[in-house]
Amino acid sequence: MTELARKALLPAGLQDVLPGTAAREAEIREKLMASLAHAGYDRVKTPLVEFEESLLEGAAPELSTQTFRLMDPESRRMMGVRSDMTPQVGRIAATRLVDAPRPLRLSYSGDVLRIKGSHLRPERQFAQVGAELIGVSSAAADTEIVLLALEALDRINVPFVSVDLNLPTLPVRLFDAFGVKGDQREALIEALERRDVAALKGIDGKVTDVLVALLEAAGPAKTALPKLKKLELPLGASDELYRLIDVAERVLASGLDAALTIDPVEMAGFRYQTGVSFTLFAKNVRGEIGRGGRYRAGGASGEAATGMSLYMDSILRGLPDGDAIVRVYLPLGTPQHEARQLRLDGHYTVAALEGAAEAKTEDGARVEARRMGCDYIYLGGQVVPLSA
């Protein structure tokens, strides 16, 4: 390995974001945040690091295993680097904004860091853009957060978006209703996560037929809904299923251009959700571009809430490259007031500096402008194409 390569080497899952890509990410991130703001979501900013106990209070267990920890030299207390921003927003809602009117609508944007990447997302540091709707539990709120995500993605022209609606609490409700416990429960969960109908049918119990019917009903909403409406479930489980159906019908009626599928027993990645949840996908993009769902802000005894997070790295993979920035080269001697005016007029400028390797001629300035990646040059008070 050369010395240059050694200096450029980064830990697995971390990367430098270079010119062009970094600007594109910032542009898209701000467009997403603007979409959330127009829907009434107020922006908050959370710290990158905070005390471990407050960072992980109420968070999903898997977030604890994904959190980098370090000792605070000031307080001698353990701190964690955020691996997800949702628990932090929940903490803000439960403390600093405890007296704010409900429903409380908050948005956020920032990088998170995780101990391990996944097969579909090997990146360990990536940017999130998200929103939380706190203090209300209704189908209207569940629908709002789904449509909020779709509208934001539509604003930045992500093509061929699809939503997979889930109800990860439904299997648990059914296990409780049918008295399924211990090893049998774990075996059923494992079979559900593998989508293994044969394994489900091989496990004795009344709940098996219901789970198989739910699994086989999964698919595009327009075909899944009639099947789901025909199912008879125990009290409690049926209420949750009706909520899922209600949200699906509201999303379909919204008119937003996105494919909607329903998988009522999907549990993977939703262990801390408490109701209707969803995953967002885009055509030709590996893995999800976002996910969300219902949970308790601040832990099991916290407020009812629903929210969503969009993943910038995945979203950028689903978008075409942005337009290149057109720059104007300012030769040596360009008056500062003229350079300022060009920037005020919306031009992007690159100024020659003393000692720049350019000749004291127009031809030399044109050569230097091309070398610096400019498309235009400022000559005689005019912006002139380099091709002219």
Side-chain angles (χ1 to χ4, degrees), residues 200-238:
L200 282 175
K201 290 181 177 179
I203 300 173
D204 292 332
K206 295 180 180 179
V207 72
T208 300
D209 291 339
V210 178
L211 291 174
V212 169
L214 288 166
L215 198 58
E216 292 179 339
K222 291 185 178 179
T223 58
L225 284 172
K227 297 177 183 177
L228 293 173
K229 289 178 179 179
K230 293 178 181 178
L231 296 178
E232 295 184 4
L233 304 183
L235 190 64
S238 62

Side-chain angles (χ1 to χ4, degrees), residues 24 28 150 152-163 257-259 280-285 289 314-321:
R24 179 68 166 156
I28 296 301
L150 292 177
L153 293 170
D154 184 63
R155 186 185 182 101
I156 59 172
N157 299 313
V158 177
F160 306 111
V161 174
S162 63
V163 187
D257 185 19
L280 299 159
F281 299 95
K283 188 176 180 181
N284 299 325
V285 178
I289 61 173
S314 297
I315 288 172
L316 288 172
R317 287 194 287 268
L319 291 173
D321 293 336

Side-chain angles (χ1 to χ4, degrees), residues 253-336:
S254 72
L256 278 173
D257 185 19
L260 179 65
T261 59
I262 301 176
D263 187 347
V265 290
E266 175 62 67
M267 299 180 72
F270 291 111
R271 291 300 181 95
Y272 81 107
Q273 251 75 29
T274 61
V276 174
S277 304
F278 61 95
T279 309
L280 299 159
F281 299 95
K283 188 176 180 181
N284 299 325
V285 178
R286 72 171 190 267
E288 69 267 23
I289 61 173
R291 61 170 48 213
R294 184 154 292 284
Y295 65 100
R296 287 282 175 184
S301 60
E303 290 182 272
T306 184
M308 62 87 180
S309 293
L310 303 175
Y311 308 136
M312 290 303 306
D313 56 335
S314 297
I315 288 172
L316 288 172
R317 287 194 287 268
L319 291 173
D321 293 336
D323 295 332
I325 294 175
V326 177
R327 293 182 170 88
V328 179
Y329 184 75
L330 307 180
L332 282 173
T334 300
Q336 287 294 329

Side-chain angles (χ1 to χ4, degrees), residues 72-89:
D72 178 15
E74 291 286 334
S75 66
R76 300 293 179 181
R77 294 170 62 187
M78 289 301 297
M79 300 194 302
V81 181
R82 67 186 182 207
S83 58
D84 185 78
M85 296 182 71
T86 298
Q88 293 183 298
V89 178

